[in-house]
Amino acid sequence: EVTEEALREAFIPFGPISLIELPVDESTGLIRGYAFVEYVDPMDCREALDNMNYNELYGQTIRVSFAHGTTKHAVWEMGEEEREEHKRDIEAMAGVRILPAKP
């Protein structure tokens, strides 16, 4: 099982990390099998993605992708102002999502 410290060690070479999240399943108390690593600088996020996607972490191949926020409704249902705000929010994100790779 991967720990926050293990993720920090694996991802810190790409830049300062502002947050690491390991979501836990409330019914079992176990980590759900994915994590989020948020960087201070979005360019560091890109470096982590380019270098860690389909790389091995503790004997398991991982997939790394950009983490995107959720919206209350579909983008095409948003007004122009809300769409612009959503776009700014996404551009400001500096996080990656880590999942086990499918065989």
Side-chain angles (χ1 to χ4, degrees):
E1 190 167 288
V2 176
T3 64
E4 184 177 326
E5 187 56 36
L7 287 173
R8 186 170 303 284
E9 287 178 24
F11 283 85
I12 196 73
F14 308 106
I17 294 171
S18 59
L19 176 72
I20 294 178
E21 287 185 32
L22 290 159
V24 174
D25 183 316
E26 291 180 18
S27 64
T28 66
L30 299 174
I31 295 171
R32 291 185 171 211
Y34 60 92
F36 296 97
V37 176
E38 186 175 306
Y39 286 91
V40 174
D41 183 337
M43 293 307 293
D44 295 337
C45 183
R46 170 51 75 185
E47 284 294 313
L49 178 84
D50 290 345
N51 286 281
M52 294 298 287
N53 192 33
Y54 286 99
N55 209 330
E56 195 170 292
L57 183 63
Y58 294 98
Q60 185 167 2
T61 303
I62 60 171
R63 290 183 299 156
V64 179
S65 61
F66 284 114
H68 295 290
T70 58
T71 61
K72 294 178 184 161
H73 49 275
V75 175
W76 56 85
E77 294 175 350
M78 295 179 183
E80 182 146 352
E81 186 175 312
E82 187 178 8
R83 200 169 29 252
E84 285 302 313
E85 181 179 337
H86 177 68
K87 183 179 174 185
R88 283 191 303 276
D89 288 346
I90 288 176
E91 289 170 352
M93 284 184 182
V96 294
R97 183 174 189 213
I98 306 157
L99 296 162
K102 294 181 181 177

